[in-house]
Amino acid sequence: MTQLEQLQAWIDGSDNIVFFGGAGVSTESGIPDFRSVDGLYHQQFAYPPEVMLSHSFYARHPEEFFDFYRKKLLVKGAEPNAAHRKLAELEEAGKLRAVITQNIDGLHQLAGSREVLELHGSTLRNHCDRCGRFYDTSAVAEAAGVPRCSCGGVIKPDVVLYEEALDSDVMLRAVDYIRKADLLIIGGTSLVVYPAAGLIDYYSGDKLVLINKGATAMDARADLTLSGPIGEILGQIKVG
């Protein structure tokens, strides 16, 4: 039995699948990741990306923060790929319970997934830091300099910056889903970003699947590993 056939057999026999994904899920939609050869960490900026995407940099250098944010984190025209679509199909079929994602692009929801836990927030949601008014992406994307609310407050993207804590409610829900899963599929992540990567520790089942282009630090713990673009791999799965 090939690795893909094993994955298909496990999916066929499960109605309690949880998917946990990272940046590699969206790269096939044209959204760059951070750590690959062509990622943000290998590009030259005035400051390292992790500095420019920190809360302290946002507070001290808002003009530079929003310039970087608009150029590098807001991607126009991105569409869901085969991975996003297959996960939505698995949920519709009653097999997938939840998608837990580190991505902030909203592509899972665009593909039709309903139970999506966004660990790092979303670029699609923005709120005034003074009055709390909601704004969509265009308010930030089309602003000149620092986007401002009509009340004068700064319109802050609902993304978790470095130095900020993850939403505790979202994390608790993610832990609960993973604890109860009989099949956990992790894809498109090198599993090096904590605390998100630590979620794997809450899975106690015997069907842990890792799908990634390269090796991860957790490969030895996996019951099944598949190497390659996640869209190409999940796109071959049959749901029926």
Side-chain angles (χ1 to χ4, degrees):
M1 182 179 291
T2 67
Q3 293 165 315
L4 186 64
E5 288 170 340
Q6 181 65 79
L7 177 59
Q8 180 73 65
W10 284 353
I11 289 174
D12 289 345
S14 176
D15 62 359
N16 189 3
I17 304 168
V18 171
F19 178 81
F20 172 42
V25 178
S26 291
T27 52
E28 290 169 80
S29 294
I31 295 178
D33 64 4
F34 275 54
R35 290 174 172 78
S36 69
V37 173
D38 299 318
L40 292 181
Y41 282 167
H42 294 275
Q43 299 177 27
Q44 296 300 313
F45 302 106
Y47 304 90
E50 64 267 33
V51 171
M52 299 182 80
L53 292 175
S54 68
H55 181 84
S56 56
F57 191 89
Y58 162 80
R60 296 170 187 165
H61 308 281
E63 292 267 1
E64 291 171 89
F65 169 85
F66 279 104
D67 182 56
F68 179 81
Y69 179 84
R70 276 188 283 262
K71 288 178 179 177
K72 295 301 178 182
L73 269 68
L74 294 182
V75 180
K76 294 181 179 179
E79 294 290 337
N81 60 54
H84 299 106
R85 294 192 296 270
K86 188 62 65 176
L87 291 167
E89 189 180 351
L90 287 166
E91 183 184 25
E92 180 67 25
K95 289 184 164 295
L96 183 76
R97 298 297 181 183
V99 168
I100 302 166
T101 181
Q102 293 173 280
N103 297 332
I104 58 176
D105 49 49
L107 290 180
H108 284 293
Q109 292 93 327
L110 190 58
S113 290
R114 295 182 298 276
E115 185 65 358
V116 181
L117 280 62
E118 297 171 311
L119 299 179
H120 295 158
S122 173
T123 61
L124 306 184
R125 298 187 300 270
N126 307 270
H127 289 88
C128 172
D129 66 2
R130 181 180 296 175
C131 73
R133 179 181 173 185
F134 173 84
Y135 287 88
D136 63 19
T137 308
S138 63
V140 175
E142 298 168 9
V146 179
R148 295 277 179 184
C149 176
S150 56
C151 77
V154 176
I155 302 172
K156 184 180 184 297
D158 283 359
V159 297
V160 180
L161 303 177
Y162 288 96
E163 303 168 349
E164 293 180 345
L166 301 188
D167 184 284
S168 58
D169 178 62
V170 174
M171 283 293 286
L172 287 172
R173 289 170 60 208
V175 167
D176 187 56
Y177 273 119
I178 288 174
R179 276 181 171 155
K180 294 176 180 176
D182 59 25
L183 171 56
L184 176 61
I185 303 174
I186 299 178
T189 173
S190 54
L191 291 170
V192 296
V193 177
Y194 283 82
L199 287 172
I200 192 174
D201 294 332
Y202 294 98
Y203 180 68
S204 58
D206 58 0
K207 297 181 181 67
L208 172 60
V209 180
L210 297 185
I211 307 173
N212 201 46
K213 282 185 176 181
T216 80
M218 303 294 184
D219 281 4
R221 294 177 56 177
D223 299 295
L224 180 66
T225 60
L226 294 92
S227 180
I230 189 167
E232 291 183 14
I233 292 172
L234 288 185
Q236 299 177 67
I237 294 297
K238 308 298 183 184
V239 181

